[in-house]
Structures are given as C-alpha cells and as structure tokens.
Amino acid sequence: MILVRSGELNALSPLFEKYHLRLYNFFLRLTKNQSISEDLVQSVFRRILSYRNTYNEQHKFRSWMYQIARNVHANYYRDNKILISDFSEPEKIEYEADSAIEEMEKESRKKILYEAMDGLQTDQKEIIELSRFQGLKYREIAEITGLSETAVKVKAHRALNKLRELYFKLA
Amino acid sequence: MNCKNIQDLLVEYLEKDLNQEESHEVEKHLTNCESCRNEYQLAKQFLLAVNDIEDEQPSANLRMNFNQMLEEEKENLRKESLPITDTKQSNYRFGEFLKYAAAILIIFGIGFLFGKNLYTPNDRSMEIAQLQNDLQNMKQNLTMATLKQPTSSQRLKAVNILENQAGADDKVLSVLVQTLQSDANVNVRMAAANALTKFSHHPLVRNAYLEALKNQKEPSIQITLINILIDIQENRAKILLEEIMKEDNSLPVVKEMAKQGIKVFV
C-alpha cells in the first residue's frame, strides 16, 4: 500500500486479488445481494485509490481497508433502508463433498445460520462478520471500530450468544 | 447457576474460553440437566455452522470493473504528472485572452472616435452589436480552452456551457465531437454526447455518434449512444448494433439494447 501511495498504482492489483473475495463475502452476508455487494467492493477500492494519500503505514492495511468497508456499508445502509435480496443459489468454490447427506446437512445449517443472522442488529451482524467470518483479532476490530478491545470482546460474545439463541429457535 | 446462565456459557465452553472453575460448573450442570444437554448439542452444531461458512465467488464483472478503474486512475495520474504542457496551456490561454482584450480595447477606441466624429445612432448600435458579438466569441473561445483542463469537473462544466449557447458553429461542434471521442473521463464523454443531441441534424454530429458507438467500450456510453441513434433515426447504426450483439465482451444489458435498436431500424 505504501507503493500505491507513492503513485505505483499497479501495486494495488495484488491487494485486490488478496482481499476482494473476503470483502465481497463481507458485503454479501450483510446485504444478501450479489450485485450490490460487487458495487460495494468496487466502492471500497475506489476509496482506497482516492484516499491513498491519507494511508498511514503505522496501521495495518487490513484494518484500514475494513474501516473503509464499514463506512461504505454504513453509507449504503443509510441510503437504502429497504434491503433487497437477490440471494439465489450462488456459485460456490469447488470443494470435496464428503457425502451427499453431510452436504445437505451443511446446506441446511448454513441456511438456518443466514436466517438467524437476519435477526441480529446491524452492529451485531458486523461484529460477528469481522470476528468470526473474516477472522480478525479483537485488537484489530477495536482499531477498526474505535471501541476498546474489552468492549469488542463483550460485544462479540453477546452477539454470538444472541445468534445462537436465534439459531436454536429456527433449528 | 441456572439453565439460562449455563446456556450463555456453552459457546465459550466449547471454544475452551472459560476458566477451570466455570467449565467445571458447566460440566456438572450438564450431567444433571437434560434440556441443557440438548442445548449443548445444538450449540455444537451452531459452532460448526459458524466455523465452516464458505466464501462465494463474485462474478467476473468485479475484477473487470476494478481493472478498468485502475486504468482510469493511472491515466489521470499520468496527466497530472505532465506539468510542462499544463503551463504551456495556461500561457496560451492567457495570450489568447490578451489578444481578445486588445481587440476589444481597439474596438472601443475606434468606436469612441467614430462616435465623436460621426454622431449617428445607427453607427452606434452597429458598434454595440459588433462588440457583443466579439464578447460572445471571446467567451466561447475561453470555454473551449477550458476543455483542455486536467480536471474532469472543469471539463464537464465547459461542455455544459457550450451546450447552452444558442447557435453553435462548426468549431464548437468539432470541439464537442472531439471530447465525445477522446476525453479520458466517462462522464465528460457522456455530457458531450448529450450536448450534441441539440445539433443531431448536422452530418458531422451524426457521423461522430456512429464513430463513437464503434469505438466506445464503456457500457453506460454505449447505452446512451444507442438511445440517441434510435431517437435521431440514424439507419447506419444498424450494422454497428449487429456487431455489438456478436461481441463477446458486451454486457447483456447493452446487447439487449442493441437488439431493441435493430428492431426499430428494420
């Protein structure tokens, strides 16, 4: 990213390769809409390009990128209170299926989980997304959200327990 | 601890996030309480679902759009890093300004002399008309010079000013056409395309639209151009539309527009 800041824009391509899939899924799980998620990923990288001069190498690129992603999502959410879902059967990454039954169970677990996610508040969804699905450390999430590390930990636990309850109700 | 407390600790228990005392308590409770044992099984299943959530693949558009954006930004950067041509341009513009300013001064001077010597109202109004005309020309020239500015917003503004002028001569049209064909910014090209619709009877403009449809690859521009060409009933567009239909890289929405367009021209 330091290279990008100094005007070597081609250096952004490897960063795109590394993160676009994660960002896309980040937005996909928050918005449940594939084309909107693609647009939002594009917005993140557009902002990274326009704000490249403000990048500070003391922060990790990853944290900075998620900060931007959160803002992009917050703006989107503010402007579009009605959420439209185009969540159909999406393309999946190829993986070895252990057995058909296990596959089906997995699918149904996933479906229930997504439904349960809908019952959470946006900030709870976000913290689950960051801590669980994007695999960030509490310290990193604290940096991204501006909360203290302890607050993040408490929030994450609470959100996960809430999600668990919702999941049980649906299961 | 009651069942609710225990159930809230299950996830942490499964992830070994509890201290020894707490996990003992959970275990003790689980051996005695059947409903919490059920909850425990469900919590296990829940964590499994959370932990093996899979990523889904975006469409190819995402990478395509990213690469396009990167290219545009590189182009902008390249232009900004050419300050030499920039100063040349502003010198040139200043020179032009001086030229017109001088012309106006001379006209004023002459007008004043004439006015003093031959004091007829007819001459006066002719002078004023002449002056207004010159002023108009000068404005137009300055605006056209603005189209060479490095920032797209200034160019966009210039296109809008040119569009709003009542009668445009060939010079203005050719500047707008050039902008439509080759401006680096999509929005400026789009504005030029729309500005030119006022002069769509002009053969120069019609040819420019066809040329643009052949060369422009940006879907939004393609759609605008197709709409304009249908509006102005330009039959020569049909061949180009058929090519777009055949092109693999065209977006489905553009292809659909092209298909509709071909129907109109049949």
Side-chain angles (χ1 to χ4, degrees), chain A residues 7 9-10 13 16-17 20-21 24-25 28 38 42 45-46 52 90-91 93 95 106 109-110 113-114 132-133 157 160-161 164-165 167-168, chain B residues 4 7-8 11-12 15 17 39 42-43 45-51 53-59 61-63 65-66 69-70 73-74 77:
Chain A
L9 298 189
N10 282 330
S13 287
F16 174 82
E17 291 307 326
H20 79 276
L21 193 63
Y24 172 71
N25 281 278
L28 188 61
E38 285 181 8
Q42 176 83 349
F45 282 99
R46 182 172 293 125
R52 60 177 180 268
E91 278 180 64
I93 300 172
Y95 53 87
K106 212 169 175 180
R109 279 203 299 267
K110 192 169 100 182
L113 183 65
Y114 278 2
R132 289 281 158 172
F133 304 151
H157 276 296
L160 195 65
N161 258 326
R164 182 182 57 88
E165 281 167 19
Y167 183 89
F168 288 174
Chain B
K4 174 82 177 88
Q7 284 166 18
D8 280 346
V11 168
E12 282 161 284
E15 298 206 311
D17 255 356
E39 287 282 330
L42 279 169
Q45 196 200 352
F46 165 70
L47 272 181
L48 209 60
V50 170
N51 289 335
I53 199 144
E54 279 149 4
D55 279 344
E56 276 142 25
Q57 288 287 21
S59 76
N61 285 341
L62 184 60
R63 181 175 282 110
N65 290 337
F66 169 77
M69 177 179 73
L70 197 60
E73 189 67 24
K74 276 197 270 187
L77 196 67

Side-chain angles (χ1 to χ4, degrees), chain B residues 91-250:
Chain B
N91 280 342
Y92 163 75
R93 271 192 288 117
F94 188 62
E96 193 152 1
F97 174 76
L98 273 184
K99 224 160 66 189
Y100 284 101
I104 287 176
L105 269 181
I106 291 168
I107 292 164
F108 257 119
I110 294 171
F112 180 70
L113 284 177
F114 265 100
K116 218 175 177 186
N117 295 336
L118 313 158
Y119 204 76
T120 65
N122 196 21
D123 278 338
R124 255 273 161 88
S125 57
M126 263 175 68
E127 290 304 333
I128 290 168
Q130 172 74 20
L131 271 176
Q132 276 172 342
N133 197 13
D134 278 342
L135 201 67
Q136 186 66 27
N137 270 335
M138 186 179 116
K139 265 194 199 157
Q140 212 171 59
N141 275 300
L142 276 175
T143 317
M144 286 198 280
T146 317
L147 274 176
K148 294 179 189 125
Q149 287 285 336
T151 74
S152 53
S153 59
Q154 277 169 308
R155 297 199 302 271
L156 203 58
K157 216 167 137 189
V159 170
N160 287 332
I161 292 172
L162 288 177
E163 182 188 4
N164 290 328
Q165 281 175 3
D169 54 17
D170 283 0
K171 208 165 138 200
V172 173
L173 287 184
S174 71
V175 170
L176 281 174
V177 164
Q178 206 196 337
T179 306
L180 166 67
Q181 307 290 19
S182 57
D183 196 283
N185 185 289
V186 184
N187 295 326
V188 180
R189 294 204 297 274
M190 188 90 91
N194 286 321
L196 284 168
T197 51
K198 259 168 82 178
F199 316 106
S200 58
H201 53 273
H202 204 293
L204 179 84
V205 177
R206 297 181 91 99
N207 288 334
Y209 279 140
L210 292 169
E211 185 69 24
L213 185 61
K214 209 192 302 176
N215 298 327
Q216 304 277 349
K217 293 290 169 247
E218 180 72 24
S220 52
I221 293 264
Q222 285 179 317
I223 291 172
T224 309
L225 288 170
I226 294 173
N227 274 328
I228 292 172
L229 285 163
I230 292 173
D231 266 358
I232 64 176
Q233 297 283 318
E234 180 51 72
N235 284 315
R236 284 175 293 167
K238 201 183 152 195
I239 308 158
L240 295 173
L241 292 178
E242 279 163 356
E243 270 169 33
I244 288 177
M245 297 268 304
K246 275 182 241 151
E247 179 101 35
D248 287 339
N249 291 333
S250 309

